[in-house]
Amino acid sequence: MSPKLAISISPHIRTRETVPRIMWTVVLVLLPAGIFSCLNFGWHVLSVIAACVITAVVLEALIQKLRGKEITISDGSAVLTGLLLAYNLSPALPIWMAIIGTVVAIAIGKHAFGGLGHNIWNPALVGRAFLMAAYPGAMTTWFPSRLAGAVDAMTYATPLNVIKQSLPQSLPSLGEMFFGIRGGCIGETCCLLLLLGGLFLLWKGYITWHIPVAFLGSLACFAVIASGGKPQAAVFAICAGGAMLGSIYMATDYVTSPVSVRGMLIFGIGCGIITGVIRKWGGYPEGVCYAILLMNSATPLIDRLTLPRAYGEAKRKVWV
Amino acid sequence: MRALREFTKGIIERNPIFVLMLGLCPALAVSTSVTDAVGMGLATTFVLVCSNVSISIIRKIIPYRVRIPCYIVVIASFVTIVKLALNAYLPDLYKSLGIFVPLIVVNCIILGRAEAFASRNGVGLSFMDGLGMGVGFGLGLVLMGFIREVIGAGELCHLRVLWKGYEPMLVMTQPPGAFLVLGFLLGLFNLLHRNLKKSKD
């Protein structure tokens, strides 16, 4: 039984929002997109997700035991990392590759830097980037969307692939893309469910609007300018790849994104522009993962430059 | 006895790559395969031994203020010999090592041993020191090359060693793989040293 009178230093206002509560909420909010993906790509998706989550949890417990730390697998952060990694993988990926990716995410992305709260990059994206470099063939082999019409069922390529390689295939309509009836990574296709989940997190106050809006806004602006002023290019850019998943659920990771409002806006705009640049001129069709990883690297710098001034303090020279 | 110690210290206790952290550039770049690693290790060992011995011989007549340029001239002469010899007798290896043969000149291990050891010690000890450091560097390269080639290509010395359906983890033969392998090996060596220290105490 905890004592009624807490004798401790400030802060004295307690809240029910704890790390486990937030993590598990995000996991729950992400689940509908996974269920949709099973319907869209078949049941192999479920085994990829299960492999990632189970590996993440087991490995986290193992490493924490080896390091002599408290085992915190019940806080949901390992589950979330595994789930997010699975959502970033191709639905056709062999299970053992998904397991290797999870091992890299948890062991190198998270625990090599000291565990939750100390990692520089989003662990799930570290895992994805590693798999992209290790097995580029398997990571870019896609399943066709089962929910698309019979004719479209042969389209293996994602919409961004079609654009990048100028494939002779018809693109899904903007509506189909918004509802997720297209090829792509496991958890990125259904923009509607991702958006609803994001709004829920926003309403609960677990994330703020700054990073997602800055991210998607700058990406949309970039797409419109790059396409020579077509407004539908903005919708395409937001719905076609992993921008929705990345901006709402991964760029907003507390550990690897800036803390101040100005910082978050800079972070989001940077992500959006880098994504646009990679899609337009880069070697890969999709750049959300690398955009977020690059801005993760810049986060300590952004935090330093956007440090709010204390009242009455003289203006600092920032660029020294 | 001391000579033997000067030789063995370079292999584990003061391994140039994993403990002194010198010569990391060739360690990262030339460890994509065991063949390259062995070639680079031997070339560096040759230059290291010869430069250590020569500098030890002339250490009393080198003016203190211009000692670094003197070392570099000595080292560059031996690197030129290695370069010409490789080009003449092992053209394939020479081609695959590329720019990293002439870059042995600026390898920190060689200059470091000249400055820290050969310029203060006799010829015999300098020889043993150069040999030990060279072997330590070569073994480090081979270890990295072994891990990277087996995992990254499923091959060893360009011969298939893993089972037929093995999917090579391509990243291991690329620069990120080099950094990852080096990082893990550094961690391993730190662990080893901590345990050694504990058992000594």
Side-chain angles (χ1 to χ4, degrees):
Chain A
M1 203 180 89
S2 59
K4 291 246 169 63
L5 178 67
I7 305 168
S8 69
I9 55 164
S10 61
H12 298 295
I13 298 175
R14 304 291 173 107
T15 163
R16 279 161 58 231
E17 311 300 358
T18 56
V19 170
R21 199 181 159 84
I22 295 175
M23 293 290 177
W24 284 113
T25 311
V26 180
V27 169
L28 280 180
V29 156
L30 276 167
L31 280 183
I35 296 165
F36 174 86
S37 190
C38 291
L39 301 172
N40 197 13
F41 296 122
W43 294 105
H44 181 67
V45 165
L46 197 63
S47 48
V48 173
I49 295 176
C52 285
V53 172
I54 293 170
T55 313
V57 171
V58 171
L59 194 66
E60 172 119 332
L62 197 71
I63 294 178
Q64 283 175 335
K65 196 164 167 59
L66 281 177
R67 292 178 65 209
K69 304 246 165 175
E70 189 192 350
I71 293 177
T72 57
I73 46 173
S74 59
D75 72 0
S77 73
V79 174
L80 185 60
T81 300
L83 193 68
L84 278 176
L85 175 65
Y87 279 17
N88 274 286
L89 302 176
S90 152
L93 199 75
I95 303 295
W96 63 271
M97 284 186 193
I99 292 176
I100 289 181
T102 317
V103 170
V104 171
I106 295 285
I108 299 178
K110 192 173 175 188
H111 283 287
F113 292 95
L116 184 66
H118 301 280
N119 47 307
I120 304 174
W121 298 286
N122 187 319
L125 290 176
V126 171
R128 178 190 148 92
F130 181 86
L131 285 178
M132 267 313 261
Y135 306 109
M139 278 295 284
T140 48
T141 306
W142 307 104
F143 274 164
S145 167
R146 291 190 177 182
L147 299 174
V151 182
D152 287 335
M154 293 307 291
T155 29
Y156 277 80
T158 68
L160 286 172
N161 270 330
V162 175
I163 296 281
K164 192 90 194 173
Q165 298 156 0
S166 320
L167 299 176
Q169 289 162 348
S170 59
L171 286 168
S173 72
L174 292 181
E176 278 177 322
M177 287 204 301
F178 184 71
F179 289 109
I181 304 169
R182 64 168 173 92
C185 290
I186 289 176
E188 72 174 20
T189 55
C190 189
C191 294
L192 175 69
L193 292 175
L194 293 172
L195 194 61
L196 286 177
L199 288 176
F200 179 75
L201 293 180
L202 207 58
W203 173 66
K204 291 289 280 184
Y206 292 169
I207 60 172
T208 60
W209 58 269
H210 306 89
I211 290 176
V213 169
F215 191 154
L216 296 175
S218 56
L219 178 62
C221 291
F222 185 93
V224 170
I225 295 169
S227 70
K230 290 186 205 144
Q232 63 268 39
V235 185
F236 182 84
I238 290 173
C239 296
M244 197 70 95
L245 179 68
S247 63
I248 297 174
Y249 297 95
M250 284 182 296
T252 52
D253 174 22
Y254 296 134
V255 181
T256 55
S257 64
V259 287
S260 68
V261 167
R262 264 197 308 162
M264 287 195 272
L265 290 174
I266 296 173
F267 182 89
I269 292 171
C271 286
I273 290 177
I274 296 173
T275 303
V277 167
I278 292 177
R279 282 185 187 173
K280 176 97 179 123
W281 293 295
Y284 289 115
E286 174 60 308
V288 169
C289 165
Y290 301 105
I292 298 176
L293 286 174
L294 279 170
M295 291 312 286
N296 282 165
S297 324
T299 295
L301 188 67
I302 296 173
D303 269 339
R304 211 177 107 88
L305 294 181
T306 56
L307 202 64
R309 232 178 334 150
Y311 180 69
E313 192 187 356
K315 195 172 170 66
R316 258 168 305 145
K317 278 187 200 154
V318 196
W319 298 107
V320 286
Chain B
M1 200 52 220
R2 167 134 191 244
L4 192 70
R5 239 189 61 70
E6 295 301 346
F7 173 71
T8 51
K9 72 165 192 257
I11 295 170
I12 300 266
E13 189 192 342
R14 306 193 63 187
N15 186 295
I17 300 179
F18 302 121
V19 180
L20 302 182
M21 310 262 279
L22 293 175
L24 292 185
C25 171
L28 291 167
V30 201
S31 58
T32 44
S33 78
V34 174
T35 345
D36 286 5
V38 170
M40 188 68 188
L42 288 179
T44 309
T45 307
F46 173 78
V47 174
L48 193 48
V49 170
C50 293
S51 76
N52 256 14
V53 168
S54 319
I55 287 165
S56 176
I57 291 171
I58 58 172
R59 68 183 190 276
K60 297 212 170 104
I61 55 169
I62 295 176
Y64 182 75
R65 280 164 185 247
V66 289
R67 65 193 190 287
I68 302 283
C70 295
Y71 300 157
I72 294 283
V73 171
V74 172
I75 296 165
S77 317
F78 288 112
V79 171
T80 311
I81 296 172
V82 167
K83 193 181 153 201
L84 292 175
L86 277 181
N87 200 354
Y89 298 107
L90 297 163
D92 287 341
L93 185 66
Y94 178 72
K95 223 178 262 168
S96 114
L97 291 180
I99 185 71
F100 291 97
V101 178
L103 278 182
I104 297 176
V105 178
V106 287
N107 190 321
C108 313
I109 302 171
I110 300 171
L111 195 60
R113 291 332 284 174
E115 168 79 5
F117 198 92
S119 62
R120 292 169 201 177
N121 288 285
V123 177
L125 289 181
S126 297
F127 174 84
M128 293 311 270
D129 176 76
L131 196 64
M133 284 290 162
V135 170
F137 178 71
L139 286 179
L141 275 186
V142 170
L143 183 61
M144 285 184 68
F146 175 80
I147 298 172
R148 291 182 65 193
E149 198 183 358
V150 169
I151 301 179
E155 295 174 342
L156 196 58
C157 299
H158 304 293
L159 294 170
R160 187 132 207 104
V161 286
L162 293 187
W163 62 96
K164 214 170 157 215
Y166 177 74
E167 184 109 14
M169 195 185 276
L170 295 177
V171 70
M172 281 307 180
T173 54
Q174 292 163 358
F179 282 101
L180 280 178
V181 171
L182 182 66
F184 275 115
L185 288 175
L186 284 177
L188 198 70
F189 262 74
N190 278 346
L191 196 73
L192 211 72
H193 274 263
R194 205 184 296 163
N195 289 349
L196 273 181
K197 231 182 216 167
K198 252 187 217 157
S199 61
K200 259 183 201 165
D201 294 347

